[in-house]
Amino acid sequence: MPTQSAQQALAILRQGSQTFQWYVIPLMAFVFYVYTVEAGKRNWNLLLAGLAFWGMDWLNEIVNGLVFHFTNYAPIWGAPGKTAFLILIGLNIEICFMFAVSGIIWTKMLLPNVKTRILGIPNRAFIAVAGAAFCVCVEYILNAAGALTWDYAWWGRSAPWLIFLFGYLTFFIMAFWVFDMKTVKAKLITVGSIWASALLALILFVSVLHWI
């Protein structure tokens, strides 16, 4: 039997005719602006790092939806609160746009030299850990506000390390790894693989099997 929060999310899942809000349009314009500005500067390393970060979130959200499908109890995290559009059970359009630019924002914080350290820690590792920890704190606030729900004891305030490791740190590691790759070809292959996997999974699990 699905939890109450899961049922609330299911009631609005991809029901845009009931939930659409006009603020989605300026949010979308903001995302386009960020990407076009960086493209205009030919910051391909930064753009591809941002897309890697965003793509990793899509893969996580797909796995989250599959957890709910197979348990019929709850996703690992849910987003049953007010939204202009709930894309997947734990991903609304507002979260989606946030992740679209987050990778670019955090990658901009990297120091030019990979070997430069911050407090004795390689700057990539320091920023990845700091960024993931910051995101966990934001999740705590969202959960306290009821906007983001956790129904499993192993994912929540009693186990923040799982949110830290699998919810966010992997995103930062992938984005920074792509950013530091030596060739554009390697970056394109990696980012393309992430997005191809996400798109194929969405087609299969949403459109064909109707699992998520």
Side-chain angles (χ1 to χ4, degrees), residues 3-23:
T3 62
Q4 182 178 359
S5 60
Q7 291 180 50
Q8 290 172 348
L10 285 177
I12 60 171
L13 183 62
R14 294 188 288 276
Q15 298 298 317
S17 60
Q18 300 177 26
T19 61
F20 176 78
Q21 297 292 326
W22 278 104
Y23 65 74

Side-chain angles (χ1 to χ4, degrees), residues 189-210:
I189 291 173
T190 303
V191 174
S193 298
I194 293 171
W195 278 94
S197 299
L199 291 172
L200 287 173
L202 287 170
I203 292 169
L204 177 63
F205 297 129
V206 176
S207 300
V208 178
L209 298 175
H210 306 291

Side-chain angles (χ1 to χ4, degrees), residues 43-56 103-104 107 110 114 124 170-195:
N43 285 338
W44 309 123
N45 294 339
L46 185 63
L47 282 173
L48 290 170
L51 288 172
F53 191 100
W54 191 16
M56 289 297 292
I104 291 177
T107 305
L110 297 180
V114 176
R124 270 53 174 168
T170 52
F171 300 7
F172 287 91
I173 291 173
M174 182 60 71
F176 296 171
W177 180 52
V178 167
F179 182 79
D180 288 327
M181 285 179 173
K182 300 301 182 183
T183 66
V184 174
K185 181 180 178 180
K187 299 172 194 286
L188 289 172
I189 291 173
T190 303
V191 174
S193 298
I194 293 171
W195 278 94

Side-chain angles (χ1 to χ4, degrees), residues 81-115:
K82 292 182 179 180
T83 176
F85 189 70
L86 187 63
I87 305 169
L88 298 173
I89 197 165
L91 176 67
N92 58 40
I93 192 69
E94 296 86 355
I95 295 173
C96 180
F97 286 153
M98 182 270 293
F99 276 110
V101 298
S102 291
I104 291 177
I105 293 168
W106 285 98
T107 305
K108 276 181 172 288
M109 298 182 190
L110 297 180
L111 301 181
N113 191 332
V114 176
K115 297 181 180 180

